[in-house]
Amino acid sequence: MNPARRRWTSALAAVIAAAMGGFSRFARAQHAHTHAKPLRRLDLSPPAQAEPRALRLPGQSGLLADVDLARPLELTATIGWEPLLPGPTSDVWQYAGTTADGRAVANPTLRVRRNAMLDVTLKNRLGDDTTIHWHGLMVDERNDGSGLHPVRHGESQRYRFSVHNRGGLYWYHAHPHGGTGEQVHHGLAGLLIVEDRDELALREALDLRAGISDFPLLLSDKQFGLRNAIKYELGEDDWIGNKVLANWCADARLDVPRRACRLRLCNASNARVYKLVFRAGRRILPYWLLGTDGGLLERPLRTDQVYLAPAQRVDLLIDFSALRSDEEVLMLGADYDPMENDGGMAAADPMLEHPGAPPMGAEQTLLRLRVAAGESRTLRPPAHLSTLPAADFATAAPRKLKLWINDAGRWLINEWNFHLDHHNPAFEVRRGSLEIWELTNAIRSMPHPFHVHAFQFRVLSRSDSPAQIRRLAVDRDGRTPQDLGLMDTVLIWPGETVRIGLDFSQPFSGRQSYMFHCHNLEHEDQGMMVAFDVVD
Ligand code: C2O
Ligand code: CU
Ligand code: CU
């Protein structure tokens, strides 16, 4: 598309968005210099509290629809309108497509067998650069969908690779340089389920059925403004929202059978960390952790709380068999100490930029579960779920990475900042090598979800953890239950040092550029991201 036409389309998009109560980045760019604080005051009312509505589950069509990737799929990045809240529809930026059998889908839940081909063509009709990043998958650089390979408006890109990862819940999202936070907050994200033998064996052992006793949950908080428009402002910190959506539903309720049910959660929020707790009346319900970012654990682990940071996934089994029919269980983001100790820009009053948003770490209900009538059924998870790849990292001298904020309020990893370093790789890693990365978060800081592209890793140890994390340790290395699985994103608290072990084996050759970054998307966009190259 020629630049003049593109500008015109953008202007048109801005006019339409403004007319519908939205604020596109183009419209905002024009207002930016006025920094219209008084305007925001008009926006103070939190979104209306609705009667609980049935939770959306992957269906035939629309948002979250179930799509088997046995056949190639074409997805168009575009802006659609969805009924998210009572009242006017909201502008949801989405990957929209039509399946081979004629179903119109948006941000579909993709399913693929391990070792099968994923073949998805992205067409960009968004009015700005975008991508599809396959979060957690072992891919070559070209298929990584990072900002190094932007797809321009009007152009397309075919992502085609065989899926090497273990069975598990992964996800995909937009990843353009400097605009990831905006595009993900506006909606460009979806789930990807990889199935393998262990996964199918687990379903069999627990008689799990999709949509009946096995539920995927895409969690993300959005900031809603006037007329239910989703709001995002470039250049702000920690974009938390005033409404949490579960599977694109606000105030949702899910009926569950009186038996052990599986919930597979993905935190697609820009910045919010949830402490997942299930409460029935005054009782906290324990549950089993079955899996993490990179699939199933070796064995189920009993816990009653998990911190789910942006980009992380957990696979949970919760037993409702001892509850009464009709009893309600709340899935909470329970309260915790957010440890926002940076004293910088993030410490500003969150209510000003995010009217109606609960502060980070404040309790909120994420989902209401209602136990259905009927016979109760007792089920226990199998003792052995899966076998994790063995790797002996002991010999490697650690590569040290420090997460910190400088006096100018800029987040850095060591001395690096993606933008200031012009996206140049900070170091090379030899393909097939084993490395230990020692990640230390400054004390004057906040929790950072640290993510590495294209490689799942092991958490080896956690030290100098704050009390709320130390309490969860299950071994002498200070690891929490979540740390025992394969991870692609690990949350590092202020003052903490976390050692991770990475195996840089991959079935590709030549130079492949990737990145690691904080998955707080505002931090990422501001450059708390570093490129690195994998070489032969
Ligand atoms: Cu899900 Cu580079 O990120
Ligand atoms: Cu990623
Ligand atoms: Cu961060």
Side-chain angles (χ1 to χ4, degrees):
M1 180 178 242
N2 74 51
R5 169 113 186 278
R6 180 176 168 185
R7 247 192 326 272
W8 188 83
T9 313
S10 301
L12 183 66
V15 168
I16 292 170
M20 303 300 287
F23 292 88
S24 79
R25 70 187 299 173
F26 316 105
R28 272 199 311 277
Q30 287 153 23
H31 288 292
H33 61 282
T34 63
H35 206 71
K37 298 250 179 198
L39 256 183
R40 286 197 200 99
R41 295 257 155 76
L42 297 173
D43 255 13
L44 274 171
S45 56
Q49 177 76 28
E51 276 299 294
R53 288 192 293 181
L55 178 75
R56 175 187 283 102
L57 292 168
Q60 287 295 304
S61 60
L63 285 171
L64 209 76
D66 178 75
V67 173
D68 187 333
L69 280 183
R71 294 205 243 177
L73 179 69
E74 189 177 282
L75 291 173
T76 302
T78 182
I79 300 179
W81 301 88
E82 305 285 346
L84 299 182
L85 301 176
T89 53
S90 303
D91 48 328
V92 177
W93 301 9
Q94 53 192 253
Y95 297 112
T98 306
T99 60
D101 55 348
R103 299 178 288 128
V105 301
N107 292 345
T109 302
L110 305 175
R111 270 185 305 112
V112 67
R113 246 67 54 209
R114 187 177 193 185
N115 297 321
M117 269 290 164
L118 178 151
D119 187 343
V120 174
T121 299
L122 167 66
K123 285 175 84 177
N124 182 359
R125 308 294 308 166
L126 199 62
D128 205 348
D129 291 359
T130 194
T131 69
I132 301 180
H133 168 57
W134 305 96
H135 182 113
L137 293 199
M138 176 184 278
V139 285
D140 58 334
E141 177 187 335
R142 217 198 118 282
N143 281 301
D144 192 33
S146 78
L148 297 173
H149 297 270
V151 184
R152 313 279 177 210
H153 175 83
E155 295 182 351
S156 42
Q157 156 120 26
R158 185 177 185 188
Y159 299 101
R160 190 169 181 278
F161 56 89
S162 87
V163 174
H164 302 288
N165 287 70
R166 308 166 77 232
L169 178 67
Y170 301 85
W171 65 300
Y172 58 95
H173 61 81
H175 205 303
H177 280 336
T180 298
E182 177 183 45
Q183 293 193 6
V184 172
H185 193 76
H186 277 290
L188 285 168
L191 299 174
L192 171 70
I193 295 174
V194 177
E195 297 169 333
D196 66 359
R197 275 217 325 260
D198 291 338
E199 166 63 25
L200 299 181
L202 175 70
R203 289 184 200 169
E204 174 89 33
L206 284 170
D207 187 23
L208 293 170
R209 307 228 183 119
I212 295 170
S213 48
D214 187 340
F215 310 97
L217 270 182
L218 180 75
L219 280 184
S220 61
D221 62 338
K222 303 293 179 205
Q223 181 64 26
F224 289 95
L226 289 175
R227 296 188 55 77
N228 291 344
I230 295 177
K231 289 187 58 178
Y232 189 82
E233 287 174 38
L234 290 167
E236 297 291 345
D237 221 355
D238 308 338
W239 197 257
I240 54 175
N242 55 14
K243 200 73 172 169
V244 180
L245 304 181
N247 293 350
W248 309 103
C249 290
D251 308 301
R253 176 148 71 195
L254 174 65
D255 288 323
V256 290
R258 288 179 75 199
R259 48 157 286 165
C261 290
R262 182 189 197 191
L263 292 174
R264 307 178 76 181
L265 295 103
C266 169
N267 184 358
S269 308
N270 281 41
R272 197 182 282 280
V273 176
Y274 304 96
K275 175 180 167 185
L276 296 174
V277 167
F278 293 82
R279 199 169 67 201
R282 323 192 75 185
R283 265 174 312 143
I284 304 292
L285 302 184
Y287 51 88
W288 284 282
L289 180 69
L290 301 179
T292 58
D293 298 346
L296 293 172
L297 297 168
E298 301 216 308
R299 67 191 74 83
L301 289 168
R302 201 84 164 141
T303 183
D304 59 10
Q305 54 181 280
V306 158
Y307 288 90
L308 190 68
Q312 289 187 319
R313 287 86 65 206
V314 282
D315 193 341
L316 310 179
L317 189 74
I318 307 149
D319 190 1
F320 301 113
S321 67
L323 299 183
R324 282 174 285 107
S325 297
D326 241 24
E327 206 168 340
E328 188 177 63
V329 176
L330 298 181
M331 182 174 104
L332 299 174
D335 60 340
Y336 64 91
D337 179 357
M339 299 190 72
E340 290 174 335
N341 303 338
D342 53 287
M345 321 186 289
D349 177 7
M351 304 306 283
L352 187 64
E353 304 300 336
H354 312 265
M360 193 84 90
E363 175 173 310
Q364 52 182 325
T365 299
L366 308 176
L367 180 66
R368 291 165 188 275
L369 302 145
R370 188 173 53 187
V371 180
E375 199 107 328
S376 99
R377 187 170 166 202
T378 317
L379 291 156
R380 308 216 117 236
H384 176 84
L385 298 173
S386 185
T387 304
L388 296 187
D392 181 13
F393 298 97
T395 52
R399 195 185 284 280
K400 296 192 177 188
L401 299 170
K402 182 174 163 219
L403 316 178
W404 63 293
I405 191 167
N406 69 10
D407 290 333
R410 191 180 281 277
W411 290 110
L412 299 163
I413 301 178
N414 289 349
E415 295 299 326
W416 301 308
N417 178 283
F418 196 67
H419 305 305
L420 301 183
D421 295 316
H422 311 288
H423 315 164
N424 289 326
F427 53 80
E428 290 178 349
V429 163
R430 199 152 291 281
R431 182 167 291 112
S433 63
L434 301 178
E435 292 209 0
I436 295 176
W437 289 7
E438 186 179 287
L439 312 161
T440 300
N441 195 353
I443 290 181
R444 181 184 157 226
S445 186
M446 57 177 283
H448 298 287
F450 182 90
H451 169 54
V452 186
H453 278 219
F455 297 94
Q456 294 286 328
F457 53 77
R458 309 296 297 268
V459 176
L460 303 177
S461 66
R462 217 176 250 284
S463 46
D464 302 320
S465 307
Q468 61 189 1
I469 299 306
R470 208 162 50 229
R471 209 173 35 223
L472 303 178
V474 290
D475 64 19
R476 289 213 260 136
D477 296 315
R479 296 186 294 179
T480 69
Q482 236 180 327
D483 293 332
L484 302 190
L486 278 183
M487 306 294 277
D488 55 54
T489 308
V490 61
L491 186 59
I492 305 169
W493 295 80
E496 225 183 2
T497 292
V498 176
R499 284 186 166 208
I500 63 174
L502 300 110
D503 178 349
F504 286 101
S505 306
Q506 55 168 202
F508 313 118
S509 59
R511 181 174 296 269
Q512 307 283 342
S513 291
Y514 301 105
M515 50 205 52
F516 53 88
H517 58 84
C518 177
H519 218 289
N520 174 313
L521 296 180
E522 285 63 49
H523 296 183
E524 174 189 341
D525 283 337
Q526 289 162 28
M528 196 181 189
M529 173 154 75
V530 176
F532 70 101
D533 285 359
V534 178
V535 298
D536 289 313

